[in-house]
């Protein structure tokens, strides 16, 4: 059974039409070569050369591809993959970045860390 600490039980449920809808709706660049895994392929471990992405991230977090440099900084600092982030945590990162840009400022990881603390599950 899949849970927060075991993604090996999470499988693809999309079909080709669903993928095409997400590619169109969220303007996913064709250069990223979006593809569907086989129905019985778990999201983790990732297929070599591919990054698994949950569609719920698009629906609930305003998640977009390609990723912004700031989001990549946050993910690298915390050593997490986007699929490991809670949708509220990912939304906070995006909200902070948008607020900075609205103030004509570049988002800064140290400033972000002064306002927000991202916790690992079980911490």
């Amino acid at each position: 059974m899949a849970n927060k600490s075991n993604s090996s039980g999470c499988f693809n449920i999309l079909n080709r039409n669903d993928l095409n809808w997400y590619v169109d709706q969220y303007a996913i660049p064709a250069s990223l070569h979006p593809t569907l895994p086989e129905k019985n392929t778990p999201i983790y471990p990732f297929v070599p050369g591919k990054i698994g992405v949950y569609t719920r991230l698009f629906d609930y977090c305003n998640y977009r591809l390609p990723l912004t440099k700031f989001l990549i900084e946050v993910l690298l600092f915390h050593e997490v993959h986007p699929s490991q982030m809670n949708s509220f945590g990912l939304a906070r990162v995006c909200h902070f970045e948008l607020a900075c840009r609205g103030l004509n400022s570049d988002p800064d990881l140290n400033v972000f860390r002064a306002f927000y603390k991202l916790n690992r599950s079980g911490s």
Side-chain angles (χ1 to χ4, degrees), residues 31-52:
S31 62
L32 295 177
H33 308 291
T35 58
L36 287 173
E38 297 294 324
K39 289 284 185 189
N40 295 329
T41 303
I43 193 157
Y44 183 85
F46 302 119
V47 175
K50 297 289 182 183
I51 297 175

Side-chain angles (χ1 to χ4, degrees), residues 103-123:
L103 295 170
N104 292 323
S105 176
D106 289 330
D108 182 89
L109 181 60
N110 291 323
V111 175
F112 173 78
R113 291 178 52 228
F115 288 101
Y116 299 103
K117 179 181 179 196
L118 300 180
N119 293 318
R120 294 188 186 271
S121 180
S123 298

Side-chain angles (χ1 to χ4, degrees), residues 69-113:
K69 290 180 184 180
F70 178 69
L71 180 55
I72 291 171
E73 278 185 65
V74 171
L75 295 173
L76 289 173
F77 178 83
H78 291 283
E79 299 178 343
V80 296
H81 182 274
S83 66
Q84 294 173 298
M85 287 197 63
N86 177 293
S87 58
F88 294 118
L90 191 54
R92 283 184 179 156
V93 174
C94 293
H95 180 264
F96 176 82
E97 183 174 7
L98 290 171
C100 289
R101 301 226 185 268
L103 295 170
N104 292 323
S105 176
D106 289 330
D108 182 89
L109 181 60
N110 291 323
V111 175
F112 173 78
R113 291 178 52 228

Side-chain angles (χ1 to χ4, degrees), residues 26 55-64 87-88 90-91:
Y26 294 100
T55 55
R56 298 260 173 160
L57 294 174
F58 293 97
D59 299 332
Y60 297 125
C61 303
N62 198 29
Y63 185 75
R64 297 295 183 267
S87 58
F88 294 118
L90 191 54

